[in-house]
Amino acid sequence: MPEAAEHVGSGKVRELFALDDERLLLVASDRISTFDVVLPTEIPDKGRVLTGLSAFWFARTHEIVPNHLLALREDGRSTECRRLEMLPIECVVRGYLSGSGWKDYRTTGTVCGHVLPSGLAESSKLSEPVFTPSTKAMTGHDENIDRDRALELMEPELYDAAEQASLAVYQFASDYANARGIIIADTKFEFGLDPEGRLVLGDEALTPDSSRFWPADVYAAGGPQPSFDKQFARDYCETVGWDKTYPGPELPDEIVAGTRARYVEAFERLTGIAFDDYVADPEAVLR
Ligand SMILES: Nc1ncnc2c1ncn2[C@@H]1O[C@H](COP(=O)(O)OP(=O)(O)OP(=O)(O)O)[C@@H](O)[C@H]1O
Ligand SMILES: [Mg+2]
């Protein structure tokens, strides 16, 4: 644990410590949340998978947009990063129609102000990826918003820069993942401003917690897809008659093992690095 670092916050998954005025230590726990509720059961190594994958992508996308990563620690779950003033929106990119995007499309034919062609099915590929931001709800669920709503919260130049960077990083990662048999259906980025006012990619990036990863070989639009993310744990939660408020259900051993296996498989397929090799030497993802 960080010596002499001040604990400055807890997210659902991460603990934040201030190393100094400019630097934070982000420690990813093994906690899992479904439907925005942290479950009482942890998924061993999940925090390492999220940290390793984020660092892997940060190392490969910094020429598209600068990011907050400064150093990866030996425990494989802690990153030293630049402290940012986070933007008030979550920057979601969708290449496929799923989750709340599919729900919005079904009722309105649009997602966050983008009018989509009629006749799309659940999980359909969009002709172009779209930027579909949401509010950052302090409690409860994020809400999808259009550009006009977002501009009540931030300057247009900043919104446009975040949109452009989000689409560019998504496009890079989605091509990269496709070549490894994984579809990145959608993903969420969080950007912030550094002390000089530059846009910097923060938080985690392109992980199974922030994205929907689908195995490309069995992809078929027209319904939900199997995935490498917490959908497996979510599906279990749906079977136990839980009302999606605290406290969440305990996960049985086979759901824990199945979820861990999916996270680790996503890590290994995307990075090409054995997860045990990452644990032995986290900096392997930076090379
Ligand atoms: N470089 C950074 N500077 C400042 N804050 C950051 C930075 N990177 C990430 N954050 C913030 O740290 C937190 C990460 O914690 P975590 O992912 O567990 O949160 P969450 O559950 O997604 O959201 P919440 O914090 O609302 O519970 C987020 O609030 C995120 O916005
Ligand atoms: Mg988060």
Side-chain angles (χ1 to χ4, degrees):
M1 260 303 117
E3 345 59 52
E6 183 199 353
H7 185 240
V8 290
S10 294
K12 287 184 288 292
V13 171
R14 289 174 184 75
E15 299 299 330
L16 278 71
F17 300 86
L19 293 171
D20 53 43
D21 287 349
E22 283 101 49
R23 295 181 310 142
L24 287 179
L25 187 70
L26 244 61
V27 184
S29 72
D30 290 336
R31 299 193 288 269
I32 183 169
S33 69
T34 57
F35 308 104
D36 287 325
V37 170
V38 179
L39 302 182
T41 315
E42 297 195 333
I43 308 297
D45 291 322
K46 175 173 171 288
R48 290 199 174 89
V49 168
L50 302 182
T51 301
L53 259 181
S54 294
F56 174 82
W57 293 116
F58 285 143
R60 281 156 186 79
T61 60
H62 63 89
E63 282 171 7
I64 302 174
V65 64
N67 60 64
H68 70 168
L69 178 68
L70 295 171
L72 191 53
R73 291 215 172 158
E74 266 178 27
D75 63 3
R77 63 170 76 245
S78 306
T79 41
E80 295 175 22
C81 49
R82 291 199 273 158
R83 197 169 188 167
L84 305 172
E85 191 70 53
M86 301 308 283
L87 301 193
I89 59 167
E90 313 232 307
C91 294
V92 179
V93 178
R94 298 173 191 275
Y96 293 74
L97 209 45
S98 183
S100 67
W102 164 239
K103 216 190 259 172
D104 291 355
Y105 170 77
R106 243 188 347 180
T107 48
T108 66
T110 68
V111 183
C112 299
H114 300 276
V115 180
L116 300 178
S118 60
L120 296 177
E122 181 172 11
S123 307
S124 280
K125 184 173 198 223
L126 301 175
S127 56
E128 297 273 350
V130 290
F131 182 61
T132 60
S134 62
T135 57
K136 260 187 190 170
M138 284 303 163
T139 54
H141 305 292
D142 297 334
E143 185 195 341
N144 289 342
I145 54 174
D146 62 14
R147 188 172 191 277
D148 287 346
R149 278 279 312 281
L151 295 192
E152 292 167 15
L153 305 170
M154 62 199 291
E155 293 302 318
E157 295 74 23
L158 196 50
Y159 178 91
D160 293 341
E163 168 170 22
Q164 204 240 316
S166 299
L167 289 170
V169 176
Y170 172 79
Q171 197 58 59
F172 170 85
S174 145
D175 292 346
Y176 194 100
N178 262 316
R180 283 148 191 86
I182 290 184
I183 291 171
I184 304 182
D186 52 39
T187 197
K188 179 207 70 175
F189 300 109
E190 290 190 35
F191 290 90
L193 296 176
D194 71 9
E196 286 75 47
R198 275 178 308 222
L199 188 71
V200 177
L201 179 58
D203 203 53
E204 61 178 330
L206 298 151
T207 72
D209 269 15
S210 65
S211 322
R212 286 192 174 83
F213 291 153
W214 296 338
D217 55 348
V218 296
Y219 167 72
Q225 308 298 303
S227 66
F228 292 107
D229 56 46
K230 56 189 171 189
Q231 192 59 45
F232 184 67
R234 272 192 217 115
D235 289 348
Y236 170 79
C237 292
E238 295 272 27
T239 65
V240 295
W242 167 49
D243 64 1
K244 296 173 189 167
T245 63
Y246 275 92
E250 303 256 4
L251 301 176
D253 291 351
E254 64 273 18
I255 302 298
V256 171
T259 303
R260 182 184 183 281
R262 282 164 176 79
Y263 273 74
V264 168
E265 188 177 353
F267 175 96
E268 294 187 334
R269 278 176 66 167
L270 288 168
T271 64
I273 298 167
F275 183 65
D276 288 346
D277 291 346
Y278 170 71
V279 172
D281 175 20
E283 290 191 349
V285 294
L286 301 178
R287 292 191 278 267

